[in-house]
Amino acid sequence: MNKLPVALLPVAMLVGAGAAPAQGQPDGEILVLEEVLVVARKREESLQDVSVAVTALSADDIQAAQLNSSEDLTNLVPSLNLNKGGNPRATSFAIRGIGTQSFSSGVEPSVSTMVDGVVMGRSGQAFMQLLDVQRVEVLRGPQGTLFGKNSTAGVVHIITRDPSVDHSGEVMVSAISDDEYRAGLTTSGPLSDDLGYRFSANGTTREGYTRNYFDGNDYNGADEWSVRGKLRWLPRSDLELKWASDYTDRSCDCNVPAIRSLDVVEGKLVLGRPHEEVVAETLDLLLPVVPGNENKDVNINKSPFSDAESWGHSLEVNWDIGEYTLTSISASRGWEVNGFTDVDSTPVDAFGFDQFGASEQEQLTQELRLLSPADRDFSYVAGFFYFDQQVERNFRRTFEVSEGSPGTANSDFQVNTENWALFGEATWNFATNWRLILGARYTEDELDFIFERTAEGNTVGLPDPFEVDPTRGDTSEEDLSGKLALQWDYSDMGMAYASFTQGYKGPAFNIIFETDPEGLEPANPETSDAWELGIKTTLFDGRLRLNAALFHAVYDDFQSQAFIDPDGIPDCEEGDTACQEADDSGGFVLINAGEVSTKGFEVDFVALVSQNLRITGGAAYIDASIDEYPEGQCSGGQQLRDVGFKGQTSCGDNPAQQDLSGGDLPFSPDWKINLAASYFLDASDAFEVALKASVRAQDDVQFSLSQDENTIQNSYAIFDASVVLSDRDEHWQATLFVKNLTDKFYATAIGSNNAILLPNGYSHRYSKLAERTFGLELRYRWF
């Protein structure tokens, strides 16, 4: 671990370069960085004046890095990581190591994702194409005193472009190696003197990059398209109305993992057979696929798929009442997702086992805010927030405990969430260079569910009784959380701040296929106390912007999901048919894991080294650890080996649990950095050439909450490069790029397979960017 601090040396070198005189700078020409404006505190202000750790990515930043999906934002924000699950429902963002650790329909996201001020109710809704984006703001740490629901770890706010005053537009096409193609269109302008429009559309088609030897197909491909329309109406000089609608459709044969390892555990029996026999038989079935740390191929007999649709409508009204502004944001959103995958990762049907899940989500939100004038000694933002969400899910499993005797189990459940809150934040300029910021939020949550499960056919091996008549449950909670910050503007070019912020995440129910709703108790709300010390400064006559933050946060009653198999791994005797039947009495449970904490240091910088050279970068050291988790989960591999975290031997017990205190939170490397440089060549009076290069690197990362030694991705670095040719009038642009220049393979997730279907087996997920790719992008703009 901790292999990357040496890699931070280039940061110091580049910052030092920013202090050097600009070579070749024309006499009298002044180099100054452009001001970055953000709405992190619900009013437009300079990034350097905001006493919150914020990373702001402009449209140019996103385009230069060839980011196409919100998932890719993790490449530019060191504190932002992706909890990559096996389907969109189980994928989420993590900030400073804190992310959603459960995919139950009754659990809130830990990181709030917003589009134009509208919060997304489910974690999976956060992952979308970056369509006609103006800016992305990533706020780190609890943000409840100003933002909508569920921001205990931070906020990812995607801000799209508004209609333009003049007619304008852009078309984009790109071709990428291995049959990937993208296209986009934007057009904008006035419809009348007081009404403007903007329309954007884009689409992507990508062939699969994971070979399946069973049928010769390539999996993990996708087809996706999105559209968004906006209208902006100014009926009076003091009134603005903005309507936005969007729709996204995505279908793919994706979420197909490749087997990473399958090692023999001597002396262990699996369903009455020696484990070495099971492994030898499975390896023969998989041929010509051979498990390995860089395996990219599969041999499966099922055709996986994942389909998702997302849509939304919003109306934002801004009314200037004298010097005050009243804002209303009314929105409705919907999301549907369903999918199927090969559960056993082999070309046979183990126990005839299959599963299929489909979810539908609908939400209504309403936010009202009153914004006071900013140029007063005392200014404030006060607001009301309402959230109403309904999530419906169907999950079906089929199995065959003995030949010719199939069974089917089906669960249907619905979870309703209602939340309202009063929030506000005030700033008091009590001295010339000093500000005191006070914030508070009062929240009320109501959560209820209805659950039903049925079974047909041979259900031997399922818990008895397994069928559940429609059963209801509910809970409610209230919370008062606050914020206190002190800001010192020590000069015209810099400020420092210290803050204490409380976070809150509402109660939750463990509503999944295995749920036993009788007597089901809700998980307690998750709360946090966060401290932050930051500095924001502009140096060398405006040519270097350097922001840094120290932070420490403690989360109590951390909500997490664990897989508990009460029977562990069966050590069956040969011929014991009762023992050989697959036991499904275990399952995922939602618990309050105890206490976790995260602490560390972050830095972002932008440097204009010369008229032609611009360097940007960031680094984060994050120690996200489990302080108290005495009854944590064991992975399937740990259960079979009976060796858990720090050598514990309780994973083979009944129940299979271990003490995870002192472990690392998953999907959070200790060190992560990114650096990018752009050098502009004056090729001629007609056009210019930009040479761009970047590197992102990270330390080892643990992908499993169980602290399994086999679910660790070693540290790696990824290099990208591009050449951009554009005309002086900025009408057309051609970009030739290569990503992952050194062809470095890395996994985005590693998991232990089912302890019965693939005992002591591990699989990894990887993206297309885990190998070298080339592409050409063409853009044309009109004004």
Side-chain angles (χ1 to χ4, degrees):
M1 303 292 285
N2 295 346
K3 300 173 183 176
L4 291 181
V6 175
L8 288 178
L9 289 176
V11 175
M13 295 171 62
L14 292 172
V15 172
Q23 300 299 317
Q25 180 180 331
D27 294 337
E29 184 172 343
I30 300 176
L31 292 179
V32 178
L33 288 166
E34 293 183 359
E35 184 180 27
V36 177
L37 299 177
V38 297
V39 291
R41 293 195 297 196
K42 299 298 184 181
R43 65 172 83 235
E44 190 172 77
E45 55 190 334
S46 171
L47 172 68
Q48 299 306 98
D49 294 334
V50 178
S51 55
V52 177
V54 185
T55 298
L57 303 176
S58 68
D60 289 340
D61 295 331
I62 293 169
Q63 180 181 325
Q66 292 293 319
L67 306 187
N68 301 287
S69 167
S70 56
E71 290 189 20
D72 300 331
L73 295 172
T74 59
N75 295 345
L76 296 184
V77 186
S79 296
L80 182 69
N81 289 293
L82 193 68
N83 288 4
K84 186 67 173 179
N87 59 70
R89 294 181 62 255
T91 299
S92 64
F93 281 126
I95 293 179
R96 292 177 172 174
I98 303 298
T100 309
Q101 297 293 334
S102 170
F103 53 80
S104 164
S105 297
V107 176
E108 300 177 357
S110 296
V111 174
S112 180
T113 304
M114 307 177 72
V115 176
D116 294 334
V118 178
V119 67
M120 304 290 162
R122 302 299 295 164
S123 295
Q125 290 175 281
F127 302 104
M128 63 192 78
Q129 292 185 313
L130 295 173
L131 175 62
D132 199 22
V133 170
Q134 175 184 334
R135 185 176 66 254
V136 176
E137 298 177 11
V138 180
L139 290 80
R140 308 188 287 273
Q143 304 294 330
T145 60
L146 280 181
F147 277 83
K149 188 174 167 59
N150 310 335
S151 54
T152 56
V155 173
V156 177
H157 191 187
I158 300 171
I159 302 165
T160 65
R161 295 182 186 273
D162 283 338
S164 57
V165 176
D166 300 317
H167 290 288
S168 63
E170 178 181 87
V171 292
M172 178 275 293
V173 294
S174 66
I176 302 169
S177 53
D178 298 323
D179 294 324
E180 180 177 354
Y181 304 96
R182 303 187 188 123
L185 166 69
T186 295
T187 180
S188 180
L191 294 173
S192 66
D193 290 342
D194 54 13
L195 180 64
Y197 82 97
R198 192 173 192 93
F199 175 79
S200 301
N202 65 7
T204 299
T205 180
R206 182 186 67 225
E207 291 297 314
Y209 52 85
T210 298
R211 178 185 300 179
N212 181 24
Y213 281 93
F214 182 84
D215 55 17
N217 292 330
D218 292 327
Y219 288 143
N220 284 324
D223 294 313
E224 182 174 7
W225 60 274
S226 302
V227 294
R228 177 183 294 114
K230 269 189 172 184
L231 293 173
R232 181 172 181 259
W233 184 33
L234 301 171
R236 302 185 335 204
S237 61
D238 60 353
L239 184 62
E240 176 193 56
L241 292 87
K242 290 192 290 188
W243 176 271
S245 294
D246 64 83
Y247 177 82
T248 297
D249 182 278
R250 183 175 190 265
S251 61
C252 67
D253 51 12
C254 54
N255 302 317
V256 179
I259 298 179
R260 186 179 182 90
S261 65
L262 183 59
D263 298 326
V264 172
V265 180
E266 299 289 347
K268 284 291 184 178
L269 298 179
V270 178
L271 300 183
R273 300 176 58 199
H275 186 239
E276 52 265 34
E277 289 185 9
V278 175
V279 170
E281 181 180 289
T282 304
L283 290 175
D284 284 341
L285 285 172
L286 291 174
L287 289 174
V289 174
V290 177
N293 289 349
E294 296 187 11
N295 175 36
K296 302 176 184 178
D297 303 326
V298 298
N299 192 351
I300 56 177
N301 63 331
K302 300 292 175 63
S303 297
F305 72 90
S306 176
D307 296 332
E309 293 179 83
S310 177
W311 61 91
H313 311 281
S314 67
L315 174 64
E316 178 180 337
V317 180
N318 295 297
W319 182 21
D320 293 333
I321 307 173
E323 295 180 303
Y324 294 78
T325 300
L326 180 64
T327 297
S328 168
I329 303 177
S330 309
S332 66
R333 295 205 63 86
W335 185 53
E336 293 184 7
V337 59
N338 61 81
F340 170 84
T341 189
D342 190 299
V343 182
D344 57 34
S345 299
T346 66
V348 298
D349 292 330
F351 306 110
F353 187 85
D354 276 324
Q355 61 186 27
F356 170 85
S359 295
E360 295 184 15
Q361 182 260 12
E362 293 182 350
Q363 68 176 66
L364 293 173
T365 58
Q366 174 63 56
E367 184 169 339
L368 289 172
R369 294 196 309 268
L370 181 64
L371 186 69
S372 75
D375 57 350
R376 305 289 176 83
D377 288 340
F378 184 83
S379 60
Y380 62 87
V381 178
F384 166 81
F385 178 77
Y386 176 76
F387 177 89
D388 186 13
Q389 174 181 260
Q390 177 178 295
V391 179
E392 296 181 356
R393 181 153 172 82
N394 170 263
F395 195 83
R396 182 176 70 250
R397 282 181 177 167
T398 61
F399 47 89
E400 191 171 344
V401 295
S402 60
E403 188 173 353
S405 58
T408 300
N410 191 80
S411 64
D412 290 282
F413 41 92
Q414 176 180 308
V415 179
N416 301 308
T417 304
E418 189 173 25
N419 164 280
W420 70 268
L422 296 172
F423 62 89
E425 190 170 293
T427 300
W428 177 31
N429 299 313
F430 64 90
T432 303
N433 299 321
W434 291 88
R435 307 181 193 183
L436 181 67
I437 298 102
L438 297 172
R441 182 185 188 91
Y442 174 76
T443 304
E444 287 194 5
D445 277 306
E446 293 184 5
L447 187 67
D448 64 76
F449 70 86
I450 180 170
F451 184 94
E452 179 181 12
R453 187 170 56 221
T454 59
E456 298 177 359
N458 188 343
T459 59
V460 174
L462 294 179
D464 187 28
F466 185 73
E467 298 191 29
V468 177
D469 293 330
T471 306
R472 298 178 181 272
D474 61 80
T475 188
S476 61
E477 292 284 349
E478 60 183 40
D479 176 76
L480 179 63
S481 54
K483 175 181 178 177
L484 173 64
L486 183 63
Q487 179 176 332
W488 174 37
D489 299 326
Y490 60 82
S491 77
D492 293 339
M493 304 300 288
M495 66 90 158
Y497 66 92
S499 67
F500 170 75
T501 310
Q502 294 176 311
Y504 166 81
K505 177 178 174 179
F509 277 113
N510 185 49
I511 307 300
I512 56 174
F513 175 83
E514 294 91 351
T515 293
D516 179 4
E518 290 295 334
L520 178 66
E521 294 294 327
N524 295 328
E526 176 184 300
T527 61
S528 61
D529 292 330
W531 296 262
E532 185 170 299
L533 180 65
I535 184 170
K536 297 186 176 184
T537 184
T538 304
L539 304 171
F540 306 115
D541 298 323
R543 290 170 43 212
L544 172 64
R545 184 163 56 237
L546 180 66
N547 298 338
L550 286 167
F551 63 90
H552 181 213
V554 177
Y555 288 74
D556 288 317
D557 284 329
F558 185 68
Q559 294 175 1
S560 181
Q561 186 162 275
F563 186 84
I564 304 299
D565 184 352
D567 295 320
I569 299 296
D571 290 329
C572 304
E573 297 295 334
E574 188 172 355
D576 187 348
T577 57
C579 183
Q580 290 174 12
E581 291 170 349
D583 189 337
D584 198 29
S585 58
F588 287 97
V589 295
L590 179 68
I591 61 174
N592 290 112
E595 181 179 292
V596 304
S597 65
T598 175
K599 58 181 178 290
F601 172 76
E602 303 159 330
V603 61
D604 296 301
F605 77 92
V606 181
L608 276 178
V609 180
S610 71
Q611 184 183 15
N612 297 339
L613 178 60
R614 179 187 178 96
I615 298 175
T616 63
Y621 169 74
I622 298 174
D623 180 10
S625 59
I626 304 168
D627 298 333
E628 183 183 347
Y629 195 170
E631 296 179 349
Q633 71 198 68
C634 294
S635 71
Q638 288 174 324
Q639 292 177 51
L640 186 69
R641 301 191 303 271
D642 193 18
V643 177
F645 179 48
K646 295 183 177 179
Q648 296 178 70
T649 58
S650 59
C651 284
D653 296 344
N654 183 6
Q657 295 179 335
Q658 59 179 326
D659 187 351
L660 296 176
S661 303
D664 295 326
L665 285 173
F667 294 91
S668 181
D670 284 355
W671 285 95
K672 189 176 174 185
I673 67 170
N674 66 275
L675 288 170
S678 300
Y679 189 80
F680 299 91
L681 299 173
D682 294 326
S684 73
D685 293 336
F687 61 89
E688 68 176 12
V689 177
L691 306 178
K692 300 184 179 184
S694 66
V695 58
R696 54 185 173 90
Q698 67 176 54
D699 198 9
D700 300 351
V701 57
Q702 169 64 263
F703 286 126
S704 172
L705 193 66
S706 63
Q707 311 299 303
D708 194 315
E709 62 183 6
N710 292 333
T711 56
I712 297 175
Q713 167 65 54
N714 292 333
S715 60
Y716 62 88
I718 303 298
F719 297 87
D720 300 334
S722 63
V723 179
V724 183
L725 178 67
S726 57
D727 73 316
R728 294 287 184 181
D729 295 329
E730 299 182 344
H731 284 297
W732 60 265
Q733 184 180 85
T735 303
L736 180 65
F737 61 89
V738 55
K739 303 184 79 67
N740 196 350
L741 189 63
T742 60
D743 199 25
K744 175 65 177 178
F745 181 87
Y746 60 96
T748 56
I750 305 172
S752 175
N753 289 84
N754 183 282
I756 299 299
L757 300 180
L758 204 66
N760 203 37
Y762 290 82
S763 296
H764 58 224
R765 304 184 188 279
Y766 66 98
S767 77
K768 182 178 178 178
L769 298 181
E771 58 186 7
R772 186 187 299 113
T773 59
F774 300 88
L776 174 64
E777 178 184 272
L778 303 176
R779 291 178 181 266
Y780 180 76
R781 307 179 183 95
W782 62 91
F783 310 105

